[in-house]
PDB file of all heavy atoms in Angstrom:
ATOM      1  N   PRO A  83     -32.611 173.021 235.752  1.00 95.00           N
ATOM      2  CA  PRO A  83     -31.141 173.134 235.837  1.00 95.00           C
ATOM      3  C   PRO A  83     -30.558 174.145 234.847  1.00 95.00           C
ATOM      4  O   PRO A  83     -29.533 174.769 235.135  1.00 95.00           O
ATOM      5  CB  PRO A  83     -30.645 171.724 235.534  1.00 95.00           C
ATOM      6  CG  PRO A  83     -31.803 170.830 235.805  1.00 95.00           C
ATOM      7  CD  PRO A  83     -33.044 171.646 235.519  1.00 95.00           C
ATOM      8  N   ASP A  84     -31.205 174.324 233.694  1.00 97.00           N
ATOM      9  CA  ASP A  84     -30.713 175.315 232.726  1.00 97.00           C
ATOM     10  C   ASP A  84     -30.828 176.731 233.286  1.00 97.00           C
ATOM     11  O   ASP A  84     -29.939 177.559 233.106  1.00 97.00           O
ATOM     12  CB  ASP A  84     -31.477 175.216 231.404  1.00 97.00           C
ATOM     13  CG  ASP A  84     -31.183 173.918 230.660  1.00 97.00           C
ATOM     14  OD1 ASP A  84     -30.107 173.315 230.872  1.00 97.00           O
ATOM     15  OD2 ASP A  84     -32.048 173.503 229.855  1.00 97.00           O
ATOM     16  N   THR A  85     -31.925 177.002 233.984  1.00 97.00           N
ATOM     17  CA  THR A  85     -32.096 178.311 234.615  1.00 97.00           C
ATOM     18  C   THR A  85     -31.054 178.495 235.712  1.00 97.00           C
ATOM     19  O   THR A  85     -30.467 179.578 235.839  1.00 97.00           O
ATOM     20  CB  THR A  85     -33.513 178.457 235.203  1.00 97.00           C
ATOM     21  OG1 THR A  85     -34.465 178.210 234.171  1.00 97.00           O
ATOM     22  CG2 THR A  85     -33.729 179.847 235.778  1.00 97.00           C
ATOM     23  N   HIS A  86     -30.811 177.457 236.487  1.00 95.00           N
ATOM     24  CA  HIS A  86     -29.789 177.530 237.546  1.00 95.00           C
ATOM     25  C   HIS A  86     -28.447 177.903 236.936  1.00 95.00           C
ATOM     26  O   HIS A  86     -27.718 178.740 237.479  1.00 95.00           O
ATOM     27  CB  HIS A  86     -29.677 176.202 238.283  1.00 95.00           C
ATOM     28  CG  HIS A  86     -30.930 175.795 238.982  1.00 95.00           C
ATOM     29  ND1 HIS A  86     -31.035 174.595 239.629  1.00 95.00           N
ATOM     30  CD2 HIS A  86     -32.121 176.415 239.134  1.00 95.00           C
ATOM     31  CE1 HIS A  86     -32.242 174.487 240.155  1.00 95.00           C
ATOM     32  NE2 HIS A  86     -32.922 175.579 239.863  1.00 95.00           N
ATOM     33  N   MET A  87     -28.106 177.278 235.807  1.00 95.00           N
ATOM     34  CA  MET A  87     -26.834 177.563 235.141  1.00 95.00           C
ATOM     35  C   MET A  87     -26.777 179.024 234.685  1.00 95.00           C
ATOM     36  O   MET A  87     -25.750 179.680 234.845  1.00 95.00           O
ATOM     37  CB  MET A  87     -26.653 176.631 233.939  1.00 95.00           C
ATOM     38  CG  MET A  87     -25.325 176.805 233.244  1.00 95.00           C
ATOM     39  SD  MET A  87     -23.944 176.227 234.226  1.00 95.00           S
ATOM     40  CE  MET A  87     -24.155 174.484 234.060  1.00 95.00           C
ATOM     41  N   LYS A  88     -27.870 179.523 234.152  1.00 95.00           N
ATOM     42  CA  LYS A  88     -27.906 180.923 233.708  1.00 95.00           C
ATOM     43  C   LYS A  88     -27.697 181.877 234.886  1.00 95.00           C
ATOM     44  O   LYS A  88     -26.983 182.874 234.763  1.00 95.00           O
ATOM     45  CB  LYS A  88     -29.241 181.238 233.027  1.00 95.00           C
ATOM     46  CG  LYS A  88     -29.435 180.553 231.692  1.00 95.00           C
ATOM     47  CD  LYS A  88     -30.822 180.874 231.157  1.00 95.00           C
ATOM     48  CE  LYS A  88     -31.153 180.125 229.906  1.00 95.00           C
ATOM     49  NZ  LYS A  88     -32.524 180.452 229.428  1.00 95.00           N
ATOM     50  N   ILE A  89     -28.327 181.576 236.002  1.00 92.00           N
ATOM     51  CA  ILE A  89     -28.180 182.444 237.176  1.00 92.00           C
ATOM     52  C   ILE A  89     -26.754 182.384 237.704  1.00 92.00           C
ATOM     53  O   ILE A  89     -26.170 183.418 238.052  1.00 92.00           O
ATOM     54  CB  ILE A  89     -29.222 182.076 238.253  1.00 92.00           C
ATOM     55  CG1 ILE A  89     -30.623 182.464 237.752  1.00 92.00           C
ATOM     56  CG2 ILE A  89     -28.904 182.765 239.576  1.00 92.00           C
ATOM     57  CD1 ILE A  89     -31.757 181.972 238.617  1.00 92.00           C
ATOM     58  N   ARG A  90     -26.165 181.200 237.740  1.00 89.00           N
ATOM     59  CA  ARG A  90     -24.755 181.087 238.174  1.00 89.00           C
ATOM     60  C   ARG A  90     -23.844 181.866 237.230  1.00 89.00           C
ATOM     61  O   ARG A  90     -22.903 182.537 237.664  1.00 89.00           O
ATOM     62  CB  ARG A  90     -24.340 179.621 238.262  1.00 89.00           C
ATOM     63  CG  ARG A  90     -24.866 178.924 239.494  1.00 89.00           C
ATOM     64  CD  ARG A  90     -24.194 177.587 239.743  1.00 89.00           C
ATOM     65  NE  ARG A  90     -24.404 176.630 238.673  1.00 89.00           N
ATOM     66  CZ  ARG A  90     -25.451 175.798 238.599  1.00 89.00           C
ATOM     67  NH1 ARG A  90     -26.372 175.811 239.523  1.00 89.00           N
ATOM     68  NH2 ARG A  90     -25.553 174.956 237.593  1.00 89.00           N
ATOM     69  N   GLU A  91     -24.130 181.792 235.939  1.00 92.00           N
ATOM     70  CA  GLU A  91     -23.341 182.537 234.950  1.00 92.00           C
ATOM     71  C   GLU A  91     -23.499 184.044 235.167  1.00 92.00           C
ATOM     72  O   GLU A  91     -22.523 184.793 235.108  1.00 92.00           O
ATOM     73  CB  GLU A  91     -23.783 182.145 233.536  1.00 92.00           C
ATOM     74  CG  GLU A  91     -22.977 182.786 232.441  1.00 92.00           C
ATOM     75  CD  GLU A  91     -21.588 182.204 232.274  1.00 92.00           C
ATOM     76  OE1 GLU A  91     -21.167 181.328 233.052  1.00 92.00           O
ATOM     77  OE2 GLU A  91     -20.887 182.650 231.355  1.00 92.00           O
ATOM     78  N   ALA A  92     -24.715 184.491 235.423  1.00 91.00           N
ATOM     79  CA  ALA A  92     -24.937 185.916 235.695  1.00 91.00           C
ATOM     80  C   ALA A  92     -24.124 186.354 236.905  1.00 91.00           C
ATOM     81  O   ALA A  92     -23.476 187.406 236.886  1.00 91.00           O
ATOM     82  CB  ALA A  92     -26.425 186.188 235.929  1.00 91.00           C
ATOM     83  N   HIS A  93     -24.106 185.551 237.955  1.00 86.00           N
ATOM     84  CA  HIS A  93     -23.350 185.906 239.164  1.00 86.00           C
ATOM     85  C   HIS A  93     -21.851 185.913 238.892  1.00 86.00           C
ATOM     86  O   HIS A  93     -21.123 186.733 239.452  1.00 86.00           O
ATOM     87  CB  HIS A  93     -23.683 184.940 240.294  1.00 86.00           C
ATOM     88  CG  HIS A  93     -25.040 185.173 240.868  1.00 86.00           C
ATOM     89  ND1 HIS A  93     -25.543 184.420 241.887  1.00 86.00           N
ATOM     90  CD2 HIS A  93     -26.007 186.070 240.555  1.00 86.00           C
ATOM     91  CE1 HIS A  93     -26.760 184.853 242.186  1.00 86.00           C
ATOM     92  NE2 HIS A  93     -27.059 185.847 241.390  1.00 86.00           N
ATOM     93  N   ARG A  94     -21.404 185.030 238.016  1.00 87.00           N
ATOM     94  CA  ARG A  94     -19.977 184.996 237.685  1.00 87.00           C
ATOM     95  C   ARG A  94     -19.572 186.222 236.857  1.00 87.00           C
ATOM     96  O   ARG A  94     -18.520 186.814 237.090  1.00 87.00           O
ATOM     97  CB  ARG A  94     -19.664 183.711 236.916  1.00 87.00           C
ATOM     98  CG  ARG A  94     -18.182 183.481 236.672  1.00 87.00           C
ATOM     99  CD  ARG A  94     -17.917 182.176 235.950  1.00 87.00           C
ATOM    100  NE  ARG A  94     -18.335 182.192 234.562  1.00 87.00           N
ATOM    101  CZ  ARG A  94     -17.686 182.794 233.570  1.00 87.00           C
ATOM    102  NH1 ARG A  94     -16.583 183.467 233.833  1.00 87.00           N
ATOM    103  NH2 ARG A  94     -18.139 182.769 232.351  1.00 87.00           N
TER     104      ARG A  94
END
Side-chain angles (χ1 to χ4, degrees):
D84 292 336
T85 305
H86 298 176
M87 183 69 74
K88 291 177 186 179
I89 291 171
R90 283 194 298 272
E91 184 74 356
H93 287 180
R94 187 178 71 76

